[in-house]
């Protein structure tokens, strides 16, 4: 399984970016997907997650600003980020759990995309 993350870049505080994670497998086989982020010198933190049923969960530090979604037609897991702050600067990674059978799950990471919030 390959995950291709895109959409990162440089944005001013208060701006918006949309990250996209394109999966090489059908999005319907992804039972769980999430976006993580890692700033220099810090641990990798969960930002947002979404289940196959569309149930979402957000870290407190992005609630009300970020929205995670699944696009079944484009086969992507997207993260819409608004009201960006300098502290949102990090490398963002997508992570998925693929279901191959009733008791067979595998976890995969994308390569990361840099988000820099700065004036």
């Amino acid at each position: 399984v390959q995950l291709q993350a895109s959409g990162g870049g440089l944005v001013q505080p208060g701006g918006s970016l949309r990250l996209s994670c394109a999966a090489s497998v059908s999005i319907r086989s992804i039972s769980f997907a999430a976006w993580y982020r890692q700033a220099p010198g810090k641990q990798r933190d969960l930002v947002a997650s979404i289940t196959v049923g569309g149930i979402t969960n957000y870290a407190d530090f992005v609630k009300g600003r970020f929205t995670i979604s699944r696009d079944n037609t484009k086969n992507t897991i997207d993260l819409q980020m608004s009201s960006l702050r300098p502290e949102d600067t990090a490398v963002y990674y997508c992570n998925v759990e693929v279901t191959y059978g009733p008791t067979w799950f595998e976890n995969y990471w994308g390569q990361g995309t840099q988000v820099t919030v700065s004036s």
Side-chain angles (χ1 to χ4, degrees), residues 66-96:
F66 291 12
T67 302
I68 189 171
S69 60
R70 302 165 60 111
D71 190 323
N72 290 342
T73 58
K74 295 181 180 178
N75 231 41
T76 60
I77 304 294
D78 300 326
L79 185 69
Q80 177 66 45
M81 306 186 295
S82 303
S83 301
L84 284 162
R85 305 166 181 169
E87 55 264 40
D88 294 320
T89 296
V91 178
Y92 284 71
Y93 299 90
C94 60
N95 174 269
V96 302

Side-chain angles (χ1 to χ4, degrees), residues 11-65:
V11 63
Q12 292 187 344
S16 299
L17 280 176
R18 187 176 184 86
L19 305 183
S20 186
C21 178
S24 62
V25 294
S26 170
I27 203 77
R28 292 175 176 81
S29 68
I30 295 176
S31 53
F32 182 86
W35 283 94
Y36 287 75
R37 72 186 189 188
Q38 188 168 21
K42 295 189 176 181
Q43 66 182 19
R44 189 172 296 189
D45 292 324
L46 176 66
V47 174
S49 64
I50 186 167
T51 69
V52 64
I55 297 173
T56 58
N57 186 53
Y58 298 92
D60 286 342
F61 51 78
V62 302
K63 278 182 180 176
R65 301 188 298 124

